[in-house]
Amino acid sequence: SNRFSDGAFLYWTPLASRRFYRVATSLLRVKPSGASPNAANAAISAVQFLGELGGSHADGLETDASGLIYIGAAEQDGVSTFNPEEGTIEPFVRDPRIQWPDTFSVATNNKLYFTSNQYWLQPQFNNGTDMRKKPWQIWSVPIGAGKVMLT
Protein backbone atom coordinates (compact mmCIF):
# COMPACT_ATOMS: atom_id res chain seq x y z
CA SER A 1 0.00 0.00 0.00
CA ASN A 2 1.20 3.53 -0.66
CA ARG A 3 0.26 6.86 0.83
CA PHE A 4 -2.44 7.39 -1.80
CA SER A 5 -4.24 4.08 -1.32
CA ASP A 6 -4.24 4.01 2.48
CA GLY A 7 -7.55 5.81 3.02
CA ALA A 8 -5.89 9.09 4.01
CA PHE A 9 -8.07 11.05 1.56
CA LEU A 10 -11.65 10.93 0.38
CA TYR A 11 -11.93 11.82 -3.31
CA TRP A 12 -15.19 12.92 -4.95
CA THR A 13 -16.86 14.77 -7.75
CA PRO A 14 -20.46 15.99 -7.87
CA LEU A 15 -22.44 13.99 -10.45
CA ALA A 16 -23.38 16.93 -12.69
CA SER A 17 -19.96 18.55 -12.43
CA ARG A 18 -16.51 18.19 -13.91
CA ARG A 19 -14.84 19.43 -10.73
CA PHE A 20 -12.69 17.01 -8.69
CA TYR A 21 -11.99 17.32 -4.93
CA ARG A 22 -10.39 15.61 -1.96
CA VAL A 23 -10.24 16.04 1.82
CA ALA A 24 -8.16 14.32 4.49
CA THR A 25 -10.23 11.61 6.16
CA SER A 26 -8.56 12.37 9.50
CA LEU A 27 -10.52 15.64 9.55
CA LEU A 28 -13.78 13.86 8.76
CA ARG A 29 -13.36 11.58 11.78
CA VAL A 30 -13.32 14.48 14.27
CA LYS A 31 -16.79 14.97 15.70
CA PRO A 32 -17.81 18.47 16.76
CA SER A 33 -17.74 18.64 20.53
CA GLY A 34 -16.77 20.95 23.36
CA ALA A 35 -13.15 19.97 22.79
CA SER A 36 -13.37 20.55 19.03
CA PRO A 37 -16.32 22.87 18.30
CA ASN A 38 -14.95 23.85 14.88
CA ALA A 39 -14.38 20.32 13.56
CA ALA A 40 -16.84 20.69 10.67
CA ASN A 41 -15.38 24.04 9.65
CA ALA A 42 -11.86 22.60 9.77
CA ALA A 43 -12.87 19.79 7.40
CA ILE A 44 -14.71 22.14 5.05
CA SER A 45 -11.80 24.58 4.89
CA ALA A 46 -9.37 21.73 4.14
CA VAL A 47 -11.20 20.59 0.97
CA GLN A 48 -8.79 20.69 -1.94
CA PHE A 49 -9.91 21.40 -5.50
CA LEU A 50 -7.87 19.09 -7.75
CA GLY A 51 -8.99 20.46 -11.09
CA GLU A 52 -11.38 19.74 -13.91
CA LEU A 53 -11.94 16.17 -15.08
CA GLY A 54 -10.97 16.84 -18.68
CA GLY A 55 -14.15 17.00 -20.70
CA SER A 56 -16.55 14.71 -18.84
CA HIS A 57 -18.53 14.55 -15.65
CA ALA A 58 -17.94 11.42 -13.58
CA ASP A 59 -20.15 8.72 -12.14
CA GLY A 60 -18.00 6.24 -10.33
CA LEU A 61 -14.56 6.32 -8.75
CA GLU A 62 -12.31 3.48 -7.63
CA THR A 63 -8.71 3.21 -6.40
CA ASP A 64 -6.21 0.44 -6.96
CA ALA A 65 -3.40 -0.59 -4.60
CA SER A 66 -0.93 1.70 -6.38
CA GLY A 67 -3.11 4.71 -5.56
CA LEU A 68 -4.28 5.30 -9.14
CA ILE A 69 -7.91 6.47 -9.20
CA TYR A 70 -10.22 5.33 -12.00
CA ILE A 71 -12.93 7.83 -12.97
CA GLY A 72 -15.96 7.15 -15.15
CA ALA A 73 -15.95 9.48 -18.17
CA ALA A 74 -19.53 9.21 -19.41
CA GLU A 75 -19.25 11.98 -21.99
CA GLN A 76 -16.15 10.33 -23.47
CA ASP A 77 -17.47 6.75 -23.49
CA GLY A 78 -14.76 5.53 -21.20
CA VAL A 79 -12.66 5.70 -18.09
CA SER A 80 -9.96 8.17 -17.10
CA THR A 81 -7.30 7.90 -14.41
CA PHE A 82 -6.11 10.37 -11.81
CA ASN A 83 -2.56 10.00 -10.55
CA PRO A 84 -2.39 11.72 -7.15
CA GLU A 85 1.44 11.69 -7.13
CA GLU A 86 1.56 13.73 -10.34
CA GLY A 87 -1.84 15.44 -10.16
CA THR A 88 -2.66 14.32 -13.70
CA ILE A 89 -5.89 13.10 -15.28
CA GLU A 90 -5.47 10.97 -18.40
CA PRO A 91 -7.66 8.86 -20.70
CA PHE A 92 -7.47 5.16 -19.80
CA VAL A 93 -10.15 3.32 -21.83
CA ARG A 94 -12.37 4.66 -24.61
CA ASP A 95 -14.98 2.66 -26.53
CA PRO A 96 -18.30 3.81 -28.03
CA ARG A 97 -19.96 0.75 -26.45
CA ILE A 98 -19.21 2.10 -22.97
CA GLN A 99 -22.44 3.91 -22.16
CA TRP A 100 -22.20 5.83 -18.87
CA PRO A 101 -19.58 3.78 -16.96
CA ASP A 102 -20.47 3.25 -13.31
CA THR A 103 -20.20 0.85 -10.35
CA PHE A 104 -16.41 0.48 -10.38
CA SER A 105 -14.60 -2.31 -8.56
CA VAL A 106 -10.97 -3.39 -8.54
CA ALA A 107 -10.57 -7.14 -8.03
CA THR A 108 -7.67 -9.18 -6.69
CA ASN A 109 -7.00 -10.41 -10.24
CA ASN A 110 -5.68 -6.93 -11.20
CA LYS A 111 -8.75 -6.05 -13.25
CA LEU A 112 -11.07 -3.08 -13.10
CA TYR A 113 -14.75 -3.99 -13.45
CA PHE A 114 -17.53 -1.54 -14.25
CA THR A 115 -20.99 -1.42 -15.75
CA SER A 116 -22.20 0.34 -18.85
CA ASN A 117 -25.53 1.51 -17.47
CA GLN A 118 -27.09 3.66 -20.22
CA TYR A 119 -28.46 5.97 -17.53
CA TRP A 120 -29.73 8.76 -19.78
CA LEU A 121 -31.64 6.29 -21.97
CA GLN A 122 -34.14 5.40 -19.22
CA PRO A 123 -37.85 6.14 -19.84
CA GLN A 124 -37.99 9.05 -17.35
CA PHE A 125 -35.50 10.97 -19.51
CA ASN A 126 -37.11 10.12 -22.86
CA ASN A 127 -40.82 10.94 -22.62
CA GLY A 128 -41.61 7.46 -21.29
CA THR A 129 -39.72 5.53 -23.97
CA ASP A 130 -37.09 3.08 -22.77
CA MET A 131 -34.19 3.60 -25.18
CA ARG A 132 -31.72 1.28 -23.43
CA LYS A 133 -30.31 -1.49 -25.62
CA LYS A 134 -29.47 -5.03 -24.58
CA PRO A 135 -27.22 -6.79 -23.91
CA TRP A 136 -26.43 -5.12 -20.58
CA GLN A 137 -22.68 -4.92 -20.19
CA ILE A 138 -20.13 -5.41 -17.45
CA TRP A 139 -16.62 -4.56 -18.54
CA SER A 140 -13.29 -5.83 -17.25
CA VAL A 141 -10.01 -4.15 -18.08
CA PRO A 142 -6.53 -5.28 -16.99
CA ILE A 143 -4.77 -2.79 -14.72
CA GLY A 144 -1.32 -2.57 -13.19
CA ALA A 145 -2.29 -3.13 -9.56
CA GLY A 146 -4.79 -5.01 -7.47
CA LYS A 147 -7.44 -4.27 -4.89
CA VAL A 148 -6.71 -1.97 -1.97
CA MET A 149 -6.52 -4.08 1.19
CA LEU A 150 -7.04 -1.91 4.27
CA THR A 151 -6.38 -3.44 7.67
Side-chain angles (χ1 to χ4, degrees):
S1 176
N2 72 37
R3 66 188 180 104
F4 293 106
S5 64
D6 63 3
F9 290 96
L10 172 69
Y11 291 85
W12 78 94
T13 179
L15 179 57
S17 170
R18 293 183 173 127
R19 297 174 65 85
F20 192 43
Y21 302 92
R22 79 176 183 182
V23 68
T25 55
S26 60
L27 295 169
L28 300 176
R29 290 191 289 270
V30 179
K31 294 185 182 208
S33 67
S36 54
N38 296 315
N41 288 338
I44 291 167
S45 67
V47 169
Q48 298 172 329
F49 173 60
L50 299 173
E52 297 284 330
L53 289 172
S56 182
H57 69 279
D59 189 13
L61 301 171
E62 179 63 288
T63 306
D64 69 19
S66 76
L68 197 61
I69 298 172
Y70 300 90
I71 305 168
E75 295 172 82
Q76 297 170 331
D77 298 333
V79 178
S80 297
T81 58
F82 174 72
N83 182 327
E85 292 244 13
E86 298 171 11
T88 56
I89 296 172
E90 297 181 5
F92 177 62
V93 171
R94 298 287 186 265
D95 190 304
R97 297 171 296 169
I98 298 174
Q99 307 270 310
W100 201 295
D102 195 6
T103 320
F104 288 81
S105 181
V106 169
T108 55
N109 64 354
N110 289 23
K111 287 187 178 179
L112 173 71
Y113 290 87
F114 58 93
T115 63
S116 180
N117 77 16
Q118 302 180 49
Y119 180 80
W120 78 101
L121 298 173
Q122 296 177 72
Q124 62 264 39
F125 302 116
N126 295 284
N127 297 316
T129 301
D130 189 349
M131 299 176 67
R132 295 173 292 179
K133 303 264 189 286
K134 292 182 181 179
W136 315 124
Q137 296 177 354
I138 297 176
W139 290 72
S140 71
V141 181
I143 58 175
K147 183 175 186 66
V148 174
M149 306 298 251
L150 296 177
T151 56

